[in-house]
Amino acid sequence: MDKVTQERISKLHPSVRSEVKKIIEQIDKALTGRAKVRISQGLRTFKEQDDLFAIGRTKPGKKVTQAKSGQSIHNYGFAVDIVLIIDGKTASWDTKADWDGDKVADWMECVAIFRANGWEWGGDWETFKDMPHFEKKGFKWRVLATKKRDKENYVIL
């Protein structure tokens, strides 16, 4: 697990940090070839969410999210986005490549491991598929938005 991923895990909601670390370790063990998984996004501030929401609306580019600030599970630390790092240097979001030659796309190996650990994949969504996105099942932003926060600003479950 690389330092970027470790740092991003450390900022997730405390209740899922060890679980995400375990998932990444399982993926690292499963991917035996040139690809390694990296968390490209974890906890996202409300400002960061608003900036992303503006893309394709008030800023140039293709829309990257349907969620305004407070409406993303990222805003509460219960979601991650991933990327595969090939040969330690090239980012890939290729969902079909089999970098380890085991006849299963490396991306789909990641999906299977997240699913087995109780996480939902954005690639399964009917509208606005979000292939890099995984979120812990059972958490809804409308409920999280009503929760009180602790001294570190994480919602209290």
Side-chain angles (χ1 to χ4, degrees), residues 79-149:
V80 297
D81 294 343
I82 65 165
V83 61
L84 294 178
I85 303 298
I86 312 307
D87 297 329
K89 58 187 172 191
T90 305
S92 173
W93 291 269
D94 186 333
T95 60
K96 297 185 182 350
D98 178 20
W99 300 101
D100 58 6
D102 64 359
K103 310 239 185 287
V104 179
D106 289 4
W107 196 274
M108 298 313 294
E109 289 182 70
C110 296
V111 169
I113 291 168
F114 269 100
R115 282 179 178 152
N117 283 279
W119 288 65
E120 179 179 340
W121 179 40
D124 288 331
W125 295 344
E126 292 296 319
T127 58
F128 205 82
K129 293 193 180 288
D130 190 352
M131 305 305 264
H133 181 87
F134 297 88
E135 62 185 56
K136 181 68 176 164
K137 286 184 182 178
F139 292 100
K140 301 297 179 199
W141 71 264
R142 283 185 172 91
V143 174
L144 293 169
T146 67
K147 301 279 187 185
K148 291 184 179 183
R149 294 179 177 261

Side-chain angles (χ1 to χ4, degrees), residues 34-115:
R34 299 168 46 205
K36 293 295 175 195
V37 68
R38 171 179 286 169
I39 293 178
S40 58
Q41 180 80 81
L43 179 66
R44 189 180 296 148
T45 68
F46 280 31
K47 181 179 180 335
E48 289 169 330
Q49 190 68 40
D50 281 337
D51 290 344
L52 285 177
F53 187 78
I55 298 170
R57 293 176 178 85
T58 59
K59 292 182 181 176
K62 184 180 175 188
K63 290 179 183 176
V64 296
T65 183
Q66 296 292 83
K68 295 178 182 179
S69 61
Q71 297 178 344
S72 171
I73 300 300
H74 281 288
N75 298 144
Y76 306 95
F78 294 102
V80 297
D81 294 343
I82 65 165
V83 61
L84 294 178
I85 303 298
I86 312 307
D87 297 329
K89 58 187 172 191
T90 305
S92 173
W93 291 269
D94 186 333
T95 60
K96 297 185 182 350
D98 178 20
W99 300 101
D100 58 6
D102 64 359
K103 310 239 185 287
V104 179
D106 289 4
W107 196 274
M108 298 313 294
E109 289 182 70
C110 296
V111 169
I113 291 168
F114 269 100
R115 282 179 178 152

Side-chain angles (χ1 to χ4, degrees), residues 9-22:
I9 289 172
S10 75
K11 294 178 182 174
L12 293 173
H13 192 279
S15 69
V16 296
R17 289 177 191 162
S18 64
E19 181 177 352
V20 173
K21 183 179 177 192
K22 181 181 90 171

